[in-house]
Amino acid sequence: MAKGGKILVAEDDAEARELLLLSLADGDYDVLQAADGIEALHLLRTEHPDLLITDIVMPRMDGYELVRKLRQDESMSGTPVIFCSASYHEREVREMARSLGVRSTLSKPYDLETVRETVNAALATKPASAPQASAETYFYGPAQERLSALITFSRRLFGQTDSAVILESTCDAARDILLAQVAQLVIATGDGSRQNTVSSGLSADEMERLLSSRMYRDLLRSLESGGSALYPMSADESSVDASTVQQGDFVSMLGVPIASVTKTYGFLCVLNRIGLPGFTEEDLAVARAIAAQVAVAYENALQHQALQDEIDRRAEMESEIRRLNQDLEKRVAERTAELEIANRELEAFSYSVAHDLRAPLRLIHAHVQMLREHKGPPGSREPGSHMEQIQRGAREMSALIDGLLALSRVSHVEMRREPCTLDGMVKHAVERLSQETPGREIEWHLNPLPAVSCDPELMQQVFANLIGNAVKYSRPRAKPLIEVGTGVVAVGDNGTTAHPGERYIFVRDNGVGFDMRYARKLFGVFQRLHRQDEFEGTGIGLATVSRIVERHGGTIWAEASPGRGAEFRFTLRDMD
């Protein structure tokens, strides 16, 4: 089936373009689309359409300049053209159309039936019949429609809270409503700089030439000082023939200040009335109406942003207060835990002073008394035996005091955390214990351990005590076995406060073990589960280990059975 003709639609508004395409859908036309004048000119030269339907106000190149270039090209100068514009520009567009030999125009919003009739008439090279308007409609209709456009713009403007969007929308609307090549909006910001927003139908080079013209710079000074500008003052005063003007030439300009009741923010100017020599007093009034609306909308947006910033600032402050409170609660909990530990240690110390530390003193006192009461011959063995017991009591007392001092240092020394490799600490403890127990053949199973952030000196003390205990309590075994490694807390493990799935480190031996009924006494000061004559010690080593682990944010517990060895497990905070 033969096509009804090839039509090029040049329209930057996507919705208006879709409406035109919908209007042409029933006409069996081959329809091409262009979003601006540059793209449309390229399609005109390559596709040679039978009809051009073009909007007036478009980016990069407006419809007036597009048709001018079309008429200058002999190969396509006879192409019929339909101009499209807002209905309140109908008089200007018809005047523009006559100057370019365009016989048909369409007004927005489009009427489907009118579009089809106008297109069919243009393709048949017959002028479309235009409805006859009364004098009242001719003079007052466009003004009412322009007022309607301003109201629509105002509603759209005051629905925005983003100042950048407000400025961009204003430029687009000012250019469209005032039928200008360029709309420029300049706002002075709080830091002394200027925000320049432009809506243009010119290329970058053409814009540069326009804004560097002397007349523009002269008029700009008036706007920057808070005044208005209108050049030329009337169309009759223009010395420029609009039909011969090149893109980027300065022809006309209109500028008004943007000011609210309390403050002047900048100015709005429009350059080069499309297809006509100059702007009118009516255009100046419209520009002032636009400027008044954008001033209020921009001020509201600034106040909204200031309010939003204040809300965000207060939310941030509240968040910081919550964080500080949580940190304070955490620190209070930590301090409370440390205080509880200190109270337990104080109780243990009081107990040790009352019992453990008095025991060596009682021993020393008894043997001193027996020496005083001795009446045997001077060379007898009894005085020497008393002296040995006195020395033993002094040694025990010294060991107990050293243990208390060591525990005190562990509780109060400042932590110095740094990344550490635990494997090296284990090897160092094993080597040192091997030198202190020559001749013992111990089977060592040393599995890889994770890296942690800890105090290296305190953590070395943990392994020295735990591995030392394993060596000591496995002494009765013919083949002692000691293993160091890692495991994971199982569900239902009631021996610890650690969470299921948490990783722990263990030190395991096959020594004498102990009865789990007394496990809670293990980590107390001077608490021992074996007699002094069986295994030496003061009962402070495990209390020291427990305190170091707690200061590293971990917990320690034990699993054992009599005659089958013991396993000590501990966790550390942030263990890899």
Side-chain angles (χ1 to χ4, degrees), residues 488-510:
V488 177
V489 178
V491 177
D493 190 343
N494 298 320
T496 177
T497 57
H499 301 292
E502 193 172 351
R503 197 175 183 186
Y504 64 79
I505 298 170
F506 68 81
V507 177
R508 181 186 303 148
D509 65 70
N510 63 345

Side-chain angles (χ1 to χ4, degrees), residues 371-385:
L371 277 174
R372 286 178 177 175
E373 297 174 354
H374 177 65
K375 297 179 181 179
S380 65
R381 288 178 50 85
E382 188 174 350
S385 174

Side-chain angles (χ1 to χ4, degrees), residues 39-56:
E39 186 180 352
L41 185 60
H42 173 72
L43 290 174
L44 283 167
R45 289 170 175 168
T46 57
E47 298 294 334
H48 301 288
D50 301 308
L51 174 64
L52 169 64
I53 303 176
T54 180
D55 188 20
I56 302 295

